[in-house]
Amino acid sequence: MDSLPAELLNLILLWDIRMCRCEKNSILPLRLVCKAFDEILKPYVFKTIQLEFSRFLRQRRGAIEAKDWDEEGKIARDLQGNGSGLDVVWGHEAIWKLTMDREGLKRVGGCCEALYLDLMVVRDEEEITRLTNVFQGLIPKVPELVPLLASLRKYCMNESTFDETDFKELVENVLDATPNMRRLKLNLPFQVVGQQSRTATLLLATTIAALTKRPEEAKGLDTLVLDHVSDTTIIDICNNPMDLGNAIQAFSGLKHLVLSMKRQEARDARQVVFTKHLWFLIRKATDLESLCLIGWNVKRDIATRTHLHGVSANVWNMRSLPFHVDESRTSSRLRFLELKRVDIDPRSLLNLVAESARSLKELYLNEVYLKVGDHNASGGTSLWLGHGDLRKTEDVIWVAQDLRKIEGLELDVLRATGLGYDEFDPETNPMHPNYDLVDYSGRNRPFDQRQKSVQGQAVRICHKLPPSFPNLQTSPASSHQSIRKTVLDPSSVKYLKKEYDAETFQKSHNTTSHFKRCIDGYFFNHNEQALKELQNIITVADRGMTLLSEEIDRARNGTGVLPRLPTR
């Protein structure tokens, strides 16, 4: 071991890290091999500090602030049974553990460059109350629901778990001990029942406030990833002058921003307010280089590329990525833009790209659906590519062609995956269901590939392959068509797909959304325990709804009694 050059040993362990990106804990035993291993691995292992629900439960103010060692037994008894994570730890050992956690944080804080706060399982009191009210009539017949509903309270912020002060103190302590931290990923609560979670607003506002109180010598925040941010939360924060001031300060130094959003404000007035507030905050990041906006859509059928919500007009409009045009904005530094799983008005899409046209170099459209609703009598429906049999009117947008007309736009990379149409009333739309989805050229190219080809990028497609392209065979031309067809093996098909498909391309080159998956660039953001806890919450709600449906059927049909819940 001593004869190996330090550089070679570093490379060997770096490959170990790369092979264990999904399982960070598998690297930890290697630190015990020798001092050299520990010194090399330490900066990578502690590059990200992760705080999730149970971490806050363990940090109770009473234990941390305790000065009198004679009261250790009383402190431990207060902790026991309150979800502190120290139920089996008594007295001196409980206080020692909490103290050593803080001391250890100071020792490794200099290595930390990213902070990951996973609060996805935190519940709102209103959500639990709502569930209880829904199932109230079932409780006399199914007493098993009582402990199930009561068990959900342990995920709420209250005196027996942790409160706002506990959360604030721990986050501030971590930020004080990590002066090199410049990346933050925050998973806000994923609400299962109900709409408006004030807990998410509280946690986001408190986190942003803590960021503004960092020491002056600490590095500024340049990367921010926010998951499950609702329009309600954005509106509430921007309507509070103190929270808004903190948010502006936090956003002002950002270079990379990833926002995963949830829409729930259906009223037109609230939608307008949300749009203004959202883009007000984003534009405060004057040095922003990459922006990824992730919507609320689930995976859709790629075979049809059309989707129908079947909702009222205002709800249909709400389920759209909004954009607010700022006439006073004259410059932008945005170079990389990704839209993912969103529905968007075609004019909003063009305005969004046009605002950053002179600096924008890479554009990724991943499962983006154009909103197609009202149209005029001439059949003027906005399309991705356009239609050869139709004459384009001035009030209609054909995205691929209109992108080419944007002044100053010179993209180096354009990739698209799963483009489609979000319909409001397809029965009155003469373009439904084909739109421009059929390739009338006879080459049968994928729709996403045609989008890039029409936009005018230098893309190598089937009829423009370089002479040195490997694994290529040509078949004789058919008797009725002079176009040469190509037969490609799987590796060649993958190569071609990379030339237009966003998902395939981003596996080797991702300048926008990779922070969502890997905030520090080495280990994937992964919290198996949080996912299990969230699944448990969903299971309780699902079982309750199943029982409620059975009770309704029984009342209607007058059959039998409710079955008892299965034992877990």
Side-chain angles (χ1 to χ4, degrees):
M1 182 64 67
D2 294 337
S3 60
L4 278 178
E7 295 82 0
L8 181 58
L9 182 59
N10 201 328
L11 287 175
I12 293 173
L13 293 179
L14 184 58
W15 273 105
D16 281 335
I17 291 172
R18 291 173 177 172
M19 290 188 294
C20 299
R21 299 187 71 182
C22 298
E23 285 294 337
K24 184 176 180 178
N25 289 339
S26 61
I27 292 293
L28 301 183
L30 294 178
R31 295 184 60 208
L32 304 177
V33 172
C34 63
K35 186 175 181 180
F37 273 44
D38 182 52
E39 290 297 323
I40 293 174
L41 292 174
K42 184 177 177 181
Y44 297 101
V45 171
F46 295 107
K47 195 169 288 290
T48 296
I49 291 181
Q50 177 174 314
L51 299 177
E52 37 80 28
F53 183 74
S54 63
R55 295 288 184 180
F56 296 101
L57 292 177
R58 286 196 290 267
Q59 302 290 340
R60 299 301 298 163
R61 292 195 308 276
I64 294 177
E65 295 174 354
K67 302 297 183 182
D68 188 353
W69 289 89
D70 294 334
E71 297 184 0
E72 59 189 271
K74 177 180 180 298
I75 295 170
R77 285 191 295 273
D78 290 340
L79 287 171
Q80 189 175 21
N82 287 332
S84 64
L86 297 175
D87 290 355
V88 297
V89 184
W90 284 87
H92 182 88
E93 187 178 354
I95 301 176
W96 175 84
K97 181 176 181 179
L98 292 173
T99 305
M100 289 304 294
D101 281 346
R102 181 173 291 184
E103 294 298 324
L105 179 61
K106 292 180 180 179
R107 290 195 298 270
V108 302
C111 302
C112 175
E113 296 180 4
L115 177 60
Y116 178 24
L117 300 176
D118 191 351
L119 305 168
M120 189 166 55
V121 302
V122 178
R123 299 296 93 196
D124 192 276
E125 288 284 355
E126 180 269 340
E127 182 180 12
I128 308 304
T129 302
R130 188 185 182 93
L131 267 179
T132 304
N133 292 338
V134 170
F135 301 143
Q136 190 66 38
L138 289 177
I139 291 177
K141 301 180 180 64
V142 191
E144 292 90 339
L145 274 177
V146 176
L148 284 177
L149 294 172
S151 67
L152 297 181
R153 298 283 179 185
K154 68 181 180 181
Y155 300 109
C156 297
M157 294 177 64
N158 51 50
E159 293 181 356
S160 61
T161 55
F162 71 96
D163 55 25
E164 179 184 358
T165 304
D166 296 324
F167 178 77
K168 177 175 176 290
E169 286 183 356
L170 182 54
V171 172
E172 287 182 351
N173 287 337
V174 171
L175 292 177
D176 286 341
T178 53
N180 297 320
M181 194 282 294
R182 53 189 179 86
R183 298 178 180 177
L184 171 66
K185 175 177 170 61
L186 174 59
N187 265 10
L188 291 171
F190 184 87
Q191 196 164 2
V192 178
V193 179
Q195 294 291 326
Q196 299 182 358
S197 174
R198 301 301 174 185
T199 299
T201 303
L202 172 66
L203 293 172
L204 178 57
T206 304
T207 303
I208 292 176
L211 287 172
T212 62
K213 296 180 180 179
R214 297 181 70 193
E216 293 184 1
E217 62 272 13
K219 290 186 177 180
L221 188 72
D222 63 23
T223 303
L224 179 62
V225 181
L226 296 178
D227 271 345
H228 313 133
V229 184
S230 70
D231 45 10
T232 304
T233 293
I234 295 293
I235 293 173
D236 289 346
I237 285 181
C238 290
N239 283 342
N240 185 306
M242 183 176 296
D243 292 339
L244 178 59
N246 292 335
I248 292 174
Q249 184 175 342
F251 273 69
S252 61
L254 293 181
K255 293 184 178 180
H256 311 283
L257 177 62
V258 181
L259 284 179
S260 171
M261 295 177 291
K262 175 186 176 185
R263 299 299 304 275
Q264 57 192 28
E265 295 286 355
R267 288 184 297 162
D268 292 340
R270 297 282 284 180
Q271 292 181 35
V272 172
V273 171
F274 165 68
T275 302
K276 291 181 178 179
H277 289 335
L278 172 66
W279 288 102
F280 173 80
L281 287 178
I282 292 176
R283 289 178 176 126
K284 286 300 177 182
T286 54
D287 295 326
L288 195 65
E289 296 180 2
S290 72
L291 173 64
C292 177
L293 299 176
I294 304 174
W296 44 92
N297 295 337
V298 296
K299 198 76 173 178
R300 291 176 175 173
D301 185 6
I302 196 66
T304 63
R305 294 183 181 268
T306 58
H307 181 264
L308 176 64
H309 282 289
V311 294
S312 61
N314 62 330
V315 175
W316 184 76
N317 289 324
M318 176 195 71
R319 296 175 180 176
S320 173
L321 177 65
F323 181 74
H324 177 258
V325 177
D326 184 3
E327 300 291 347
S328 62
R329 187 175 176 86
T330 58
S331 63
S332 171
R333 297 186 180 181
L334 188 67
R335 300 178 64 227
F336 315 112
L337 173 64
E338 178 178 359
L339 305 181
K340 188 172 185 177
R341 296 201 305 271
V342 297
D343 304 330
I344 189 169
D345 178 82
R347 194 167 299 279
S348 294
L349 175 58
L350 290 182
N351 289 336
L352 172 57
V353 174
E355 181 173 278
S356 306
R358 298 192 180 278
S359 60
L360 194 63
K361 293 301 178 184
E362 299 183 12
L363 175 62
Y364 302 94
L365 304 174
N366 195 333
E367 297 183 44
V368 178
Y369 276 53
L370 284 188
K371 309 287 282 189
V372 286
D374 298 332
H375 51 84
N376 54 42
S378 63
T381 298
S382 292
L383 301 170
W384 279 109
L385 304 179
H387 202 291
D389 296 334
L390 297 178
R391 184 176 65 87
K392 182 178 180 294
T393 58
E394 293 182 359
D395 60 334
V396 167
I397 292 175
W398 290 356
V399 175
Q401 295 185 22
D402 288 334
L403 280 176
R404 299 178 65 179
K405 299 176 182 178
I406 296 179
E407 184 179 357
L409 181 62
E410 296 181 2
L411 293 176
D412 294 332
V413 176
L414 171 64
R415 297 294 185 273
T417 296
L419 303 182
Y421 294 96
D422 181 45
E423 303 173 310
F424 178 67
D425 189 6
E427 294 183 359
T428 62
N429 194 328
M431 298 295 294
H432 172 83
N434 294 325
Y435 295 98
D436 53 356
L437 299 174
V438 179
D439 187 2
Y440 293 102
S441 69
R443 290 193 290 260
N444 198 28
R445 292 172 297 168
F447 184 68
D448 303 325
Q449 183 182 14
R450 291 163 52 214
Q451 160 71 16
K452 181 177 179 181
S453 179
V454 172
Q455 207 280 334
Q457 295 298 303
V459 55
R460 290 172 295 194
I461 53 179
C462 291
H463 61 289
K464 280 188 179 179
L465 293 173
S468 60
F469 192 84
N471 305 318
L472 178 64
Q473 298 175 344
T474 59
S475 62
S478 62
S479 58
H480 64 279
Q481 198 173 22
S482 61
I483 299 176
R484 297 184 66 197
K485 295 183 180 180
T486 56
V487 181
L488 305 178
D489 70 6
S491 62
S492 301
V493 172
K494 184 177 180 181
Y495 176 86
L496 290 175
K497 191 173 183 180
K498 185 177 179 181
E499 290 298 302
Y500 66 87
D501 184 77
E503 289 185 343
T504 305
F505 183 80
Q506 287 185 323
K507 290 179 180 178
S508 58
H509 179 84
N510 191 329
T511 55
T512 51
S513 56
H514 64 285
F515 295 111
K516 179 176 171 60
R517 190 181 185 192
C518 182
I519 189 65
D520 59 15
Y522 291 95
F523 296 102
F524 292 148
N525 309 321
H526 184 66
N527 190 347
E528 187 67 28
Q529 184 60 32
L531 294 177
K532 290 180 179 178
E533 296 287 352
L534 184 61
Q535 183 60 49
N536 177 58
I537 296 171
I538 295 175
T539 300
V540 171
D542 184 61
R543 291 168 71 186
M545 293 304 295
T546 300
L547 290 170
L548 184 59
S549 298
E550 292 175 352
E551 170 66 8
I552 293 174
D553 292 339
R554 186 193 66 80
R556 287 176 177 173
N557 303 324
T559 58
V561 295
L562 281 175
R564 296 180 65 84
L565 286 173
T567 56
R568 297 183 64 187

